[in-house]
Amino acid sequence: MMPLFLEMNWIMFLPYLVLAGGALLLMFLGLLFRSREESPFLFSSLAGISVAACMISIPAVGELGSPFGGLLAHDDLGNKFAQVVLMLLLFSLPALSFRRPLLRERPSSVLSLLLLSASGGLMMVFANHFISFFVGLELLSLPLYVLTALGHDRDRGGEAAFKYFLLGAISSAIFVYGAALVWGGIGTLTFSEIGMSLREHGLTSPGLFTVGLALVVAGVGFKLGLVPFQMWLPDVYEGAPSVVVAWMSGAVKAAAAVIFFRLFRELDGGTLMSLAGALSLAALLSMFWGSLGALYQKNVKRLFGYSTIAHVGYLFIAFVVATHEPSVDVVGAVAFYVLAYGVATLAGFVILSVEEEEGRLKISDLSGLFRRKPVLAIVLAISLLSLAGLPPLGGFMAKFNIFLAAIRLELYGLVLAGVVTSAISLGFYLRVLTSVFMKEPEHRDLIRVRWGVGTALGVATALILFLGLFPQRFLDFFM
Amino acid sequence: MREQLLSLMVFLPLITALGICFLPRKWEKSAFAWGWIGMVATFALSLNLFLNFQVGMAGYQFVQMIPWIPKYGVNYFVGLDGISLVLVVLTTILSPVALGLSFGMVPERKKEFVVSLLALETAMLGTFAALDIFLFYVFWETMLVPMYLLIGVFGGPRRIYATLKFFIYTMAGSLLMLIAVLMLYALHEQEFGFASASIPDLYAVSCRFDLQVVIYLLFLVAFAIKIPVFPFHTWLPDAHVEAPMAGSVILAGVLLKMGGYGILRLAHPMAPDAALFFAPGLGLLGVIGILYGAYLAWVQQDMKKLVAYSSVSHMGFVVLGLASLVPQATSGAVFQMIAHGISTGALFMLVGILYQRRHTRMLLDFGGLAKITPKLAAAFILITLASIGLPGLCGFVGEFLILVGSFGAPALAYPKIFVALSVIGIVLGAVYMLTLVERIFLGGVRFEENRKVSDLNWREGLAVLVPVILAIWLGIQPNVVLSRVSPSVDAIFETMKSKSDGIKMAERGRWR
């Protein structure tokens, strides 16, 4: 391996270095200060600068080729999703810049964990090899396990983190096992070589390859919360601190989605056909499980968890489309969807983090939010209605992209299911909004909304509206 | 300036609403005044459009087109033809009247009330003005949120149930419509090789019969829920009973017309063969609506429910007229939509005024009010007669044209039976409406509270005078509406005929 490193142009590694370097710097600064003297504002600004530097450096280094001898591919496809991951991180940072820490750890450690996790996401997005994807996956997940445990409620956070960790470990194991079988079946682990290898040598062992592929998809599906691997998701969303979920829910999807496109464009028609059937079924089940399950939730965070499962189902409609026709439009539709979903969830969870501080997370606890904090209530309404897919908000445009792509391929059944579950999901989104707007407040507020939360919400709301009203710029970028 | 006039009118209420959002709480009382000024200015703009409209021209006027999402061929594309013009004017008239009447009826959260009504007005105007199907869908869906707030925040005791039912019902329908929109869009792309969402472009799509059936049914469910056509009507009484007065007026006056407008603008011209195929079924549903609505209205004890069910009955005529696929009956259906907007809107106003005085809507609690409140009684009786369809008032023209037009409509399969049954509906209409008048205004005064009921004050009088004058004027001068509507209806039939031979046959057999 020695010559590889010597030959490599280290500038190509800049995006990762900026993020990981920022993480290390924050950790180091954390050692210099005592926890009371730490300035969360300063630290989150630092984190923001490194994220922004990373965002700018990605397209710049893209022209230099692929680092690590082809383990990573700095291509356009990865760039789209990397920008989504980083954008979501950037938007959630202001919510973390409080004097009174939201989490049990000091801001420096929390922020450095977030940056490390993002660098893992970045690696997944650009991975061109099962190994590098796996390293990225672990680097993304491990800090998330820690962050999940850091909420003020030790018991619940601990339980959620433990569950997340155990099931995450299982999903990683499934993924690695699948990757090993794929290697056995085809003799390569580089994504971009699979297609060539299939055409030139054929499969040495078709059974191994297919099973391996199925396990890889299952492992990633586990991370996303695809039915039938969804059971952990509501529990983790409920137990983890809201600020952490705010970022993680969108970012994990953006990071994991890319592997499907990288794999699908290499595979042959027969394999894709059988995959399409399985994915359609999983998409259907996810949409119905998520939207029906959410109807019965009392806790708002669990409700978001179930709604996430439904949204994963919508995403998989796009992946089914990608198995038929891996065009740029589908990639763009998925990236757009993840961004719209991620921003809306981010806004929702940042609001919940305010309520969480006051110890309220039941739907009935949100009653009269409009009387107590009108601006928060309106932002929550925008976020939930965007998730429900009401125009002219970002969520509608996102669903429009995916449904249109599916209709073009005449996948009427999936679109019908998407539409029906959208109508069902309106039921629980409206239940929250009814409580917020039409009931009288039951509590008095103790905590004022801080400017950091305000900034995060302002940016998120602006983006939701912008995605819906002026989507052209984003479509240009993504498609 | 002339180009932007229509857009200015559409967005003026929304701009006013944004201004009112920033009104400090201590000046909250002035929100009504500001909102009213905004709505009257909107009316003035729409009047300008109405007067400048070239009568007799079939095409779209006041057209404005700005690229919006070039990637999808979506434009901000608005314009008016005769049909949308009269509906726009109906909207701009009813909105300020409804708001003006609500001055004293909203004890708190005045700002939110006014903002919701203004946002609703922009959404309604936008829906009528949109000539791009994407834009149409956006405005169509945006209507839901302000109405949800109007019913859910300012409504009666069961408001939350009613508003959720309204929202989910309507949204389910419009999501089905979204599939139809996407299908049309994809078909256009396939056939012509470029993406466009403009409604005139989509008219050119010629699709297979089975796809037409799917598209037509998807559109029809969405619009049938909105009208509401018989099996989809259950949300309406709940929404009407719980909604505040202004909400009921707008709901009955304008929102229900969206369904009829949608069928005429989208469902029929996009899928003419399917429209012909389903015409008997749709006509039958219309007739069932007429009779069933009338029967239910007859047995109601609650005034608001009675008027709500009478809406179902009256909108049944609209459905029958649209289903007949004859230009004459279709023009009649548009006229009936306008007439129903005026008369039922006014009925909800008057019922709202009575409720505000007596805090009850039960017919048995009233009686003999004619002596105590003569002005109210006069307005009420006149509007009731208009609603029944007395010649010389607005309700007659629409029903007459619909029945005459459908009588010889081959598309309906059994047109004569349908028309005969509908006439029974008219008779029933007279029965329940006159019962309503009798129970409230005639007879002796049985309750002491009724003696203290005050007559219309000047503000209410002015507000009620608007629909009264319109009801008389349109009854005597129906050509004001018909001369503008008919050419546009003919144009829609031309579009349908160009795509379907069946429609030509259907029209040729019309009774003269």
Side-chain angles (χ1 to χ4, degrees):
Chain A
M1 292 300 267
M2 195 60 183
L4 192 78
F5 278 89
L6 288 179
E7 282 164 21
M8 204 179 91
N9 185 351
W10 277 92
I11 298 292
M12 289 198 288
F13 216 54
L14 193 65
Y16 312 90
L17 288 180
V18 174
L19 271 192
L24 291 178
L25 183 69
L26 282 168
M27 226 179 268
F28 180 69
L29 283 177
L31 291 177
L32 292 183
F33 294 99
R34 281 205 222 131
S35 68
R36 293 245 179 104
E37 295 161 357
E38 275 191 5
S39 158
F41 172 66
L42 183 73
F43 285 1
S44 57
S45 310
L46 252 177
I49 290 168
S50 68
V51 174
C54 177
M55 285 171 92
I56 297 166
S57 65
I58 290 172
V61 300
E63 295 155 11
L64 297 175
S66 32
F68 278 141
L71 282 185
L72 299 172
H74 282 164
D75 55 2
D76 197 40
L77 169 68
N79 181 27
K80 288 169 184 166
F81 287 90
Q83 299 291 353
V84 174
V85 173
L86 295 172
M87 230 187 283
L88 290 176
L89 180 57
L90 200 60
F91 294 160
S92 62
L93 281 178
L96 286 162
S97 57
F98 300 146
R99 183 138 295 276
R100 178 167 171 269
L102 271 180
L103 306 174
R104 274 190 289 120
E105 262 304 318
R106 302 154 63 170
S108 56
S109 339
V110 170
L111 288 168
S112 83
L113 282 171
L114 268 178
L115 288 192
L116 276 179
S117 164
S119 68
L122 209 59
M123 205 156 179
M124 283 165 79
V125 159
F126 288 118
N128 190 24
H129 195 281
F130 278 104
I131 301 269
S132 51
F133 185 85
F134 181 67
V135 171
L137 184 67
E138 289 301 295
L139 188 54
L140 172 87
S141 307
L142 287 172
L144 285 181
Y145 302 143
V146 181
L147 285 168
T148 304
L150 288 183
H152 285 291
D153 186 341
R154 273 165 199 266
D155 292 342
R156 206 171 266 182
E159 186 196 321
F162 190 65
K163 205 174 246 170
Y164 195 18
F165 175 69
L166 264 187
L167 291 166
I170 293 173
S171 78
S172 299
I174 294 175
F175 179 86
V176 171
Y177 188 53
L181 293 183
V182 167
W183 189 77
I186 198 158
T188 178
L189 283 177
T190 308
F191 296 151
S192 55
E193 284 170 11
I194 292 178
M196 207 167 59
S197 181
L198 272 178
R199 278 190 300 277
E200 288 180 3
H201 311 297
L203 291 168
T204 42
S205 162
L208 274 187
F209 180 69
T210 315
V211 173
L213 205 61
L215 288 177
V216 165
V217 172
V220 179
F222 220 120
K223 273 276 172 256
L224 289 174
L226 180 72
V227 174
F229 315 108
Q230 84 295 1
M231 292 312 250
W232 59 275
L233 201 137
D235 295 335
V236 170
Y237 273 40
E238 185 187 2
S242 294
V243 257
V244 175
V245 189
W247 177 66
M248 135 181 135
S249 60
V252 170
K253 285 171 193 65
V258 189
I259 189 176
F260 291 115
F261 294 117
R262 292 201 192 277
L263 283 177
F264 291 169
R265 65 182 176 199
E266 301 296 332
L267 300 176
D268 61 309
T271 323
L272 283 175
M273 278 284 279
S274 48
L275 252 178
L279 291 184
S280 308
L281 186 66
L284 271 178
L285 289 176
S286 295
M287 286 187 279
F288 278 103
W289 183 280
S291 51
L292 290 175
L295 285 176
Y296 299 100
Q297 301 309 314
K298 290 199 173 69
N299 182 302
V300 189
K301 285 170 83 180
R302 282 189 80 82
L303 188 146
F304 265 101
Y306 276 94
S307 103
T308 295
I309 297 172
H311 282 283
V312 171
Y314 299 128
L315 271 183
F316 269 76
I317 295 182
F319 293 135
V320 173
V321 173
T323 59
H324 288 82
E325 185 188 34
S327 67
V328 192
D329 275 12
V330 188
V331 175
V334 169
F336 194 104
Y337 196 95
V338 174
L339 182 62
Y341 160 81
V343 172
T345 322
L346 191 145
F349 272 102
V350 169
I351 291 168
L352 289 186
S353 76
V354 178
E355 291 290 295
E356 192 174 43
E357 271 188 277
E358 310 211 25
R360 308 178 198 146
L361 281 169
K362 283 192 298 213
I363 292 180
S364 56
D365 290 338
L366 288 177
S367 61
L369 184 68
F370 184 63
R371 289 288 176 98
R372 294 187 272 130
K373 294 168 181 150
V375 179
L376 239 55
I378 289 169
V379 174
L380 186 64
I382 291 178
S383 132
L384 289 178
L385 291 177
S386 173
L387 286 173
L390 211 76
L393 303 171
F396 167 69
M397 207 52 227
K399 271 186 190 160
F400 182 86
N401 291 331
I402 287 187
F403 288 169
L404 182 62
I407 286 274
R408 277 177 179 152
L409 289 178
E410 305 190 346
L411 300 170
Y412 297 127
L414 279 178
V415 176
L416 186 67
V419 159
V420 170
T421 49
S422 293
I424 297 174
S425 67
L426 200 69
F428 56 82
Y429 291 128
L430 283 185
R431 209 150 60 89
V432 178
L433 290 184
T434 304
S435 184
V436 166
F437 283 93
M438 295 163 196
K439 301 251 168 81
E440 293 302 310
E442 289 170 4
H443 316 270
R444 282 188 48 221
D445 281 341
L446 305 172
I447 299 166
R448 287 188 53 227
V449 181
R450 297 187 203 73
W451 67 266
V453 165
T455 315
L457 289 180
V459 175
T461 314
L463 192 64
I464 293 174
L465 289 172
F466 202 80
L467 281 171
L469 287 173
F470 308 103
Q472 182 62 30
R473 273 168 185 280
F474 288 90
L475 293 174
D476 282 342
F477 176 69
F478 287 132
M479 287 183 175
Chain B
M1 186 59 209
R2 207 180 135 76
E3 246 199 351
Q4 285 93 20
L5 202 60
L6 179 57
S7 300
L8 185 66
M9 183 204 68
V10 169
F11 287 103
L12 188 62
L14 189 67
I15 296 166
T16 320
L18 287 180
I20 291 175
C21 280
F22 294 104
L23 205 67
R25 278 279 164 194
K26 57 179 175 185
W27 295 337
E28 195 175 356
K29 273 188 183 163
S30 67
F32 270 96
W34 288 117
W36 196 74
I37 291 171
M39 283 179 171
V40 169
T42 313
F43 169 66
L45 286 175
S46 75
L47 198 65
N48 187 357
L49 293 177
F50 188 78
L51 296 176
N52 281 321
F53 189 84
Q54 305 288 323
V55 182
M57 299 247 297
Y60 303 107
Q61 304 184 28
F62 316 109
V63 172
Q64 187 186 11
M65 192 198 268
I66 305 169
W68 182 17
I69 313 172
K71 164 90 192 157
Y72 287 138
V74 171
N75 297 301
Y76 172 80
F77 182 21
V78 290
L80 295 178
D81 66 355
I83 304 167
S84 38
L85 177 81
V86 290
L87 287 165
V88 159
V89 175
L90 176 72
T91 311
T92 56
I93 290 177
L94 280 182
S95 294
V97 170
L99 183 71
L101 258 184
S102 307
F103 263 115
M105 292 191 186
V106 184
E108 55 172 355
R109 302 212 215 181
K110 296 188 169 68
K111 242 168 80 171
E112 286 84 347
F113 184 83
V114 178
V115 167
S116 301
L117 263 185
L118 285 165
L120 186 62
E121 192 182 1
T122 285
M124 295 186 298
L125 294 175
T127 312
F128 288 134
L131 288 180
D132 182 288
I133 206 163
F134 189 91
L135 188 68
F136 175 87
Y137 189 79
V138 168
F139 278 125
W140 174 277
E141 290 277 78
T142 319
M143 257 178 332
L144 291 180
V145 178
M147 202 62 213
Y148 162 75
L149 292 175
L150 275 178
I151 301 177
V153 177
F154 304 98
R158 285 170 71 241
R159 59 183 193 274
I160 287 174
Y161 167 76
T163 196
L164 287 181
K165 197 168 170 183
F166 161 76
F167 200 131
I168 292 172
Y169 242 93
T170 326
M171 178 90 175
S174 27
L175 280 166
L176 293 177
M177 171 163 80
L178 179 64
I179 302 184
V181 170
L182 289 169
M183 284 173 70
L184 272 175
Y185 179 85
L187 285 170
H188 179 271
E189 217 174 18
Q190 254 174 34
E191 191 174 335
F192 296 93
F194 70 98
S196 171
S198 99
I199 292 176
D201 277 356
L202 293 178
Y203 282 163
V205 175
S206 51
C207 57
R208 292 202 317 268
F209 181 67
D210 55 338
L211 285 178
Q212 275 198 27
V213 167
V214 175
I215 290 174
Y216 184 75
L217 285 180
L218 289 169
F219 271 130
L220 197 64
V221 171
F223 298 139
I225 289 174
K226 205 80 171 184
I227 288 182
V229 176
F230 159 64
F232 306 106
H233 68 281
T234 56
W235 62 270
L236 184 83
D238 287 311
H240 266 314
V241 168
E242 300 306 324
M245 188 274 291
S248 289
V249 172
I250 298 294
L251 188 61
V254 186
L255 288 200
L256 303 191
K257 276 77 215 177
M258 298 284 171
Y261 176 74
I263 289 183
L264 196 52
R265 172 73 78 227
L266 295 175
H268 277 176
M270 300 289 181
D273 288 322
L276 195 62
F277 181 73
F278 286 110
L282 185 61
L284 181 65
L285 287 182
V287 173
I288 294 177
I290 293 172
L291 294 176
Y292 184 68
Y295 169 70
L296 283 178
W298 192 6
V299 296
Q300 294 307 319
Q301 291 302 312
D302 181 322
M303 297 192 289
K304 244 185 164 177
K305 267 201 174 153
L306 191 154
V307 181
Y309 280 114
S310 84
S311 275
V312 176
S313 180
H314 284 139
M315 291 307 283
F317 283 100
V318 175
V319 175
L320 180 67
L322 291 174
S324 70
L325 293 176
V326 172
Q328 192 183 15
T330 308
S331 296
V334 177
F335 193 94
Q336 169 80 351
M337 292 204 278
I338 302 288
H340 174 258
I342 292 166
S343 61
T344 308
L347 275 176
F348 275 116
M349 288 177 206
L350 294 165
V351 168
I353 290 170
L354 279 174
Y355 178 75
Q356 192 201 18
R357 302 200 167 161
R358 284 284 280 109
H359 296 286
T360 171
R361 290 189 303 258
M362 292 300 144
L363 285 175
L364 292 175
D365 292 337
F366 292 93
L369 277 184
K371 295 176 204 110
I372 301 159
T373 59
K375 282 183 245 166
L376 183 65
F380 202 104
I381 290 169
L382 189 119
I383 292 295
T384 314
L385 293 177
S387 175
I388 296 169
L390 193 76
L393 295 171
C394 64
F396 172 71
V397 184
E399 284 174 5
F400 181 77
L401 284 176
I402 290 169
L403 293 179
V404 168
S406 334
F407 193 71
L412 287 176
Y414 305 104
K416 297 190 173 62
I417 300 176
F418 283 4
V419 169
L421 288 172
S422 310
V423 172
I424 299 178
I426 297 187
V427 176
L428 281 176
V431 172
Y432 65 74
M433 278 297 174
L434 293 177
T435 317
L436 176 72
V437 170
E438 187 237 303
R439 294 272 171 80
I440 299 175
F441 292 104
L442 305 182
V445 183
R446 278 169 296 147
F447 297 97
E448 276 311 302
E449 295 96 317
N450 285 342
R451 292 198 189 282
K452 292 188 211 106
V453 173
S454 53
D455 205 349
L456 298 175
N457 61 28
W458 63 271
R459 192 163 43 74
E460 292 160 344
L462 275 181
V464 172
L465 205 57
V466 174
V468 166
I469 291 174
L470 281 175
I472 298 171
W473 187 40
L474 290 186
I476 300 169
Q477 285 283 343
N479 237 13
V480 174
V481 171
L482 288 175
S483 63
R484 287 169 174 80
V485 167
S486 298
S488 302
V489 168
D490 290 340
I492 287 176
F493 272 86
E494 284 308 315
T495 311
M496 289 164 73
K497 275 189 274 184
S498 70
K499 290 203 287 186
S500 153
D501 294 330
I503 299 285
K504 286 179 202 159
M505 308 280 290
E507 215 201 1
R508 210 169 292 144
R510 126 186 122 187
W511 180 82
R512 284 172 199 276

